[in-house]
Amino acid sequence: MAPMASMAHQAPLTHPVAFLARRAATALAAVAVLGAAAAPAAYAADASASPKKLPDGLYGTKDPQYDGVWRQSLALLAQDTVGVRPAASGVRWLVGQQCADGAFTAFRAEPGKPCDAKTMRDTNQTAAAVQALAALGGHGDTVRKAVGWLKSVQNDDGGWSSMPGSPSDANSTSVVIGALAAAGEKPQSVTSKKGGKTPYDGLLTFQLGCDAKEGERGAFTFQLKGAAPNADATAAAATGALGKGFVVAPADQRSDTPVKPLSCKDGGDAKKDDPERAAAGGGAYLVAQLDKNGQHLLSAMPGAEKQPDVGNTADAVVALAAGGHGAAAAKPLKWLEKNATDWAEQNGPAAYAQLVLAAHATGTDPRSFGGTDLVAALNATGPKPAAAAQKDTGDADDAADGGGIGVWWVIGVGLAIGAGIGFLLSSRKKNQL
């Protein structure tokens, strides 16, 4: 992965642990670039030792210490989204990673050993797992326990950090919103114990308003400290503000909802508490950055030379599609079709999954993506899929309940699920790796 570091998500230096969790597709590449100091000593000491042999069912061939659950979640979710029924061993591995209290961490080499106080529980990993397992169906207890844990570590401002107890950030808050929605919860009804703040209350505090420079208005920051516009956080927040997660319904590329910049002439910050308006402002900022850079986003790492950020560009496609901006999303998607497949090949399952989800969001066939069959490439990174399912036309309420058969989970027999696995998609907190 190191050779592709210039194309990988790269983590801001202010919160490296969160970034390791977020961009699983390029976690190890970022570690190679930033050095061992990128991961705080507490995290490195807690992480399970790298296995000499990768666990059965795990996707990818790289060390899973920082991104095992994340890449597994993305891979399984992407397969389900395009009608592929994942291998039973892959699902079992994910479920088995869950701690007894419902939380997930990046990787547990000994899932049979109970989590203790030193286990670094992670909201991003947990939220990703929720989104994936809720989509697959049949894991209601696992999903409910994970959601319960997420609620228990909500910050007073309504948001979340990657590591419980730290200040909230836009990326973590967004991925948790997506998990709540996937599990059938109403994010606006999930309030902090102190202050009664909702996730949207927390998320919208990260948006730059009328007191920012004109070209920065509408962008989101990663955290309040520093308050600099961040395209990675903006892509995550523009999706989260709409109550959506990693998978969004395909946007019609022929009928595009206008992208409206955050205006200071219509009430300005007085209307800043409107999530849909906030999402639109974030989308407008992304479009401006994409147009400026040739339909891709640039790495946000401080001090790095200007270079394309493939993963963030894929997330921007999903964010724009989530807002109904199909035509705007189609432009960076075309750039991805021409430039992203080498990046995905070197970065593995999570990277392929991001591209699959970006293609899905625009109604593009991921099996013919710039000459590459992304689905086949993703499948090849893990255990052989159980089957290619046909889309289910009934039981639409099952996924929302978290305990039924997912809409794509039609052809097979029920899977034997041993002790739990848990975490299908730790996608998106990004400020990256």
Side-chain angles (χ1 to χ4, degrees):
M1 298 173 72
M4 290 304 293
S6 63
M7 298 288 281
H9 269 300
Q10 299 173 16
L13 302 181
T14 56
H15 203 328
V17 169
F19 305 139
L20 288 174
R22 271 178 222 131
R23 190 51 58 199
T26 54
L28 299 180
V31 170
V33 173
L34 298 178
Y43 189 89
D46 173 77
S48 299
S50 302
K52 294 181 179 180
K53 179 182 179 182
L54 293 177
D56 179 49
L58 179 65
Y59 284 72
T61 59
K62 305 297 183 181
D63 186 342
Q65 183 176 0
Y66 298 111
D67 76 329
V69 166
W70 182 258
R71 76 197 195 202
Q72 192 83 355
S73 297
L74 286 174
L76 297 176
L77 184 64
Q79 286 181 323
D80 178 78
T81 300
V82 297
V84 173
R85 182 154 63 91
S89 61
V91 181
R92 282 197 300 269
W93 184 89
L94 183 58
V95 173
Q97 290 289 300
Q98 188 176 40
C99 296
D101 62 4
F104 287 82
T105 187
F107 175 71
R108 296 170 60 202
E110 300 179 84
K113 181 180 178 180
C115 299
D116 57 24
K118 294 182 180 180
T119 302
M120 298 296 289
R121 294 158 173 81
D122 188 301
T123 63
N124 286 246
Q125 308 280 349
T126 304
V130 166
Q131 292 190 46
L133 294 174
L136 291 173
H139 304 281
D141 288 343
T142 301
V143 169
R144 280 187 284 272
K145 286 175 61 178
V147 169
W149 179 80
L150 288 170
K151 291 180 178 180
S152 76
V153 296
Q154 184 178 21
N155 286 335
D156 292 344
D157 62 6
W160 284 266
S161 63
S162 177
M163 299 292 116
S166 299
S168 299
D169 65 77
N171 297 76
S172 296
T173 302
S174 298
V175 74
V176 173
I177 288 175
L180 293 172
E185 299 273 348
K186 294 181 179 180
Q188 65 271 25
S189 298
V190 177
T191 56
S192 59
K193 296 178 182 177
K194 182 179 179 180
K197 297 292 186 179
T198 73
Y200 297 121
D201 291 330
L203 182 61
L204 269 57
T205 63
F206 300 108
Q207 187 167 43
L208 299 180
C210 295
D211 56 347
K213 297 178 182 179
E214 185 173 351
E216 297 179 353
R217 294 171 187 166
F220 284 75
T221 65
F222 172 59
Q223 289 180 314
L224 292 178
K225 184 178 180 180
N230 186 296
D232 182 40
T234 302
T239 304
L242 296 172
K244 298 181 181 181
F246 298 127
V247 180
V248 303
D252 189 343
Q253 298 182 28
R254 298 167 299 177
S255 175
D256 190 41
T257 300
V259 184
K260 297 181 179 180
L262 186 67
S263 173
C264 293
K265 297 180 181 180
D266 59 353
D269 287 344
K271 295 184 178 180
K272 194 180 170 186
D273 61 350
D274 179 354
E276 290 190 6
R277 183 175 183 272
Y285 174 79
L286 291 174
V287 168
Q289 294 300 306
L290 289 164
D291 288 345
K292 177 182 177 181
N293 299 319
Q295 296 309 317
H296 64 266
L297 296 175
L298 298 178
S299 169
M301 177 190 281
E305 62 180 82
K306 292 184 177 180
Q307 53 196 10
D309 187 327
V310 182
N312 197 13
T313 301
D315 287 343
V317 169
V318 174
L320 292 171
H325 311 302
K331 295 178 181 179
L333 186 83
K334 291 185 182 301
W335 183 88
L336 289 171
E337 288 183 300
K338 295 178 180 179
N339 297 280
T341 52
D342 287 345
W343 167 82
E345 182 178 0
Q346 295 208 26
N347 288 303
Y352 279 122
Q354 277 188 274
L355 296 181
V356 168
L357 295 175
H360 172 77
T362 58
T364 301
D365 184 3
R367 292 174 173 82
S368 181
F369 189 84
T372 297
D373 184 339
L374 296 176
V375 178
L378 172 61
N379 292 347
T381 67
K384 183 179 180 180
Q390 298 297 318
K391 185 175 181 180
D392 193 2
T393 57
D395 299 325
D397 293 333
D398 286 343
D401 178 64
I405 304 297
V407 289
W408 296 98
W409 199 278
V410 186
I411 294 183
V413 192
L415 301 177
I417 303 172
I421 283 185
F423 188 10
L424 275 182
L425 262 193
S426 277
S427 215
R428 178 176 283 127
K429 200 182 198 178
K430 276 179 184 159
N431 278 70
Q432 35 234 29
L433 256 180

